[in-house]
Amino acid sequence: MSLEGVYDYIDAHADSFVEDLVKLVKQPSVSAKGEGIEECAILVEKMLQEIGFSTRIIRGEKGHPVVYGEIKSKKSDRTILFYDHYDVQPPEPLEKWMCKPFSGKIINGKVYGRGASDNKGNFVSRLKAVQTLLEVTGDVPANIKFFVEGEEEIGSPNLEPIIKKHSTLFSADAAIWEFGGTDRRGRPNLYLGLKGVLSVELKASCASRDVHSANAPVIPNAAWRLAWALNLLKDKEENILIEDFYENVLPPSSEEIECLKSIPFEEEEFKRELGLKEFLQNKSGLKALKALLYQPTCTINGFISGYTGKGSKTVLPHEASAKLDFRLVAKQDPTEIFQKLVRHLKKHGFEDLEVIKHGSTEPTRTPINDPFVKLVAETAEKVYGKKAVIYPTSAGSGPMHLFRNFLGYPVVSAGCSHPEANTHAPNENLRIESYIKGTKFIATLINDFAL
């Protein structure tokens, strides 16, 4: 099928496509706080329905709803599923934003707002690709399914029971994951897997209330207690000290190493944007890229205790808490890692700490030589005019394993974002040019997938 008419339609309706993205960005949907979740799920379902999808909202025993949409092709039995999420990260710190975080304001050709890039932009771009195919051809070349969840940003803790209960409903021949885009030179980037993640919180409690710091010789300090515990988790050389933490870690295969060598890692631009002279441990080139994609991590996300306001307050805190995440690689199991963490703390005398598991996902990958990977790469090169950069896995995490490992089909992550999108940070944005180009890419991919 010639796609000239499809591209013309997308260009002619670009302004209305942007308006629909802005509408979704304006709807808060912060999963960590439960803010606007129900309203956003209803809006997502409405957007699917408006272009012809049959929909349903699926609820588990707990957690936020999943919005499901399906539209069948009149001429193909092949099915492609799009995984997206409508939830977003908290917008704080609010004072760092140039506009309100849920304004959807357009500045210099970019839509600003929490979720503009991650993941509302990709979702609406895919939706508009389907709408265009329907409007121009009266049909879709393949069966289309949308799976849009509301807990991705908190680790999808309640998704597994939904997937297993409705596995037939979510069956497909292949899936496109929620993120991706182009690099600084306009090359499309494709990701074939994700690291696993384990999110935990450690809490130390000592006295029944805060006391004057003059009592420090006799009253235990919860902040110090927690700091000492954290010091047992990783050394200055970045080695994670939990017993047997690395026992199941698999190194990249020779095929994956060759793939890494072909990736144009933009490390100087990356460092310049972050104001860094060098990466951690002065890593560079292939060594830095290999560490980024294949090295498990232990990261302190935040530490709260005592007085943190202006000036001084001579107080001895009775409580302290820290949030951490562990990024895991094949074949590390997050449940096993959590058990090892608890054992490690107890062994070193910190059995009094409360260890809370907030969420986890498993690592997963689609093989580089899978035919679907080749198809997506060829389509991306056709649309963007530049050879696709293929990452065997990503440094990020998500519930991809439920679709790749459990449901059993290939998954590739590709989208319409860009390196300066500020995802998870103040002033998150999406270039309108990238958004429209991404819509053309998805429309082309759906067409090529059906051939």
Side-chain angles (χ1 to χ4, degrees), residues 240-248 332 337 340 343:
I240 298 171
L241 304 176
I242 298 170
E243 282 189 50
D244 298 326
F245 181 85
Y246 295 99
E247 69 173 343
N248 295 320
Q332 289 183 298
I337 295 299
K340 290 174 181 179
R343 285 199 299 267

Side-chain angles (χ1 to χ4, degrees), residues 309-334:
K310 291 183 179 181
S312 65
K313 182 180 181 182
T314 52
V315 65
L316 188 154
H318 77 290
E319 290 182 328
S321 66
K323 293 191 176 184
L324 303 89
D325 72 51
F326 296 84
R327 301 284 169 166
L328 309 176
V329 300
K331 302 233 178 196
Q332 289 183 298
D333 180 88

Side-chain angles (χ1 to χ4, degrees), residues 41-257:
I42 291 170
L43 178 57
V44 167
E45 184 181 35
K46 181 180 178 182
M47 293 176 74
L48 286 162
Q49 290 173 342
E50 285 175 347
I51 68 169
F53 278 85
S54 59
T55 65
R56 59 187 292 189
I57 289 185
I58 302 171
R59 300 180 185 275
E61 292 184 4
K62 55 183 178 178
H64 303 155
V66 168
V67 183
Y68 174 78
E70 181 177 2
I71 193 164
K72 291 186 178 295
S73 171
K74 299 173 184 176
K75 55 191 176 186
S76 175
D77 60 358
R78 286 175 60 74
T79 301
I80 186 168
L81 181 143
F82 292 100
Y83 167 89
D84 291 282
H85 59 92
Y86 59 85
D87 67 317
V88 301
Q89 284 280 327
E92 286 82 1
L94 301 178
E95 68 275 8
K96 299 290 185 179
W97 285 81
M98 66 172 67
C99 56
K100 291 183 179 180
F102 295 106
S103 67
K105 191 171 183 179
I106 297 174
I107 305 172
N108 296 326
K110 298 177 181 178
V111 177
Y112 281 82
R114 176 60 82 230
S117 176
D118 183 16
N119 166 247
K120 293 177 179 180
N122 278 319
F123 164 66
V124 183
S125 172
R126 296 163 181 185
L127 193 62
K128 294 306 169 184
V130 177
Q131 176 183 332
T132 300
L133 289 167
L134 287 168
E135 291 289 340
V136 174
T137 71
D139 192 17
V140 284
N143 301 320
I144 310 292
K145 292 182 178 181
F146 270 87
F147 183 102
V148 193
E149 68 145 314
E151 295 188 329
E152 194 275 344
E153 297 292 7
I154 55 172
S156 305
N158 302 297
L159 190 57
E160 185 172 346
I162 291 176
I163 293 289
K164 292 185 174 179
K165 182 178 180 180
H166 301 279
S167 59
T168 302
L169 191 65
F170 307 139
S171 63
D173 295 294
I176 292 293
W177 204 247
E178 49 107 358
F179 70 91
T182 56
D183 61 20
R184 293 167 184 83
R185 291 170 177 80
R187 294 168 295 207
N189 290 180
L190 310 179
Y191 300 85
L192 311 187
L194 293 173
K195 286 184 177 181
V197 67
L198 169 65
S199 297
V200 301
E201 184 173 0
L202 304 183
K203 288 186 175 183
S205 300
C206 295
S208 61
R209 59 176 175 83
D210 289 356
V211 299
H212 196 295
S213 65
N215 293 292
V218 294
I219 304 298
N221 185 318
W224 275 117
R225 184 72 179 154
L226 185 55
W228 292 326
L230 292 171
N231 195 49
L232 292 168
L233 302 185
K234 193 167 76 169
D235 64 22
K236 292 181 180 180
E237 285 71 46
E238 296 296 313
N239 298 305
I240 298 171
L241 304 176
I242 298 170
E243 282 189 50
D244 298 326
F245 181 85
Y246 295 99
E247 69 173 343
N248 295 320
V249 172
L250 293 181
S253 66
S254 57
E255 184 180 32
E256 289 170 330
I257 289 293

Side-chain angles (χ1 to χ4, degrees), residues 3 6-7 9-11 13-14 17-18 21 109 121-122 124-126 128-129 132 180-183 185-188 379-386 414-418 430-445:
L3 292 173
V6 170
Y7 297 159
Y9 183 94
I10 292 170
D11 287 333
H13 293 80
F17 286 4
V18 171
L21 171 58
N122 278 319
V124 183
S125 172
R126 296 163 181 185
K128 294 306 169 184
T132 300
T182 56
D183 61 20
R185 291 170 177 80
R187 294 168 295 207
T379 302
E381 184 174 355
K382 184 191 310 182
V383 174
Y384 289 95
K386 296 184 179 182
C416 61
S417 189
H418 61 103
L430 182 62
R431 287 196 305 238
I432 292 174
E433 180 184 3
S434 300
Y435 170 64
I436 297 303
K437 191 79 163 183
T439 304
K440 294 178 180 179
F441 164 61
I442 293 298
T444 308
L445 177 62

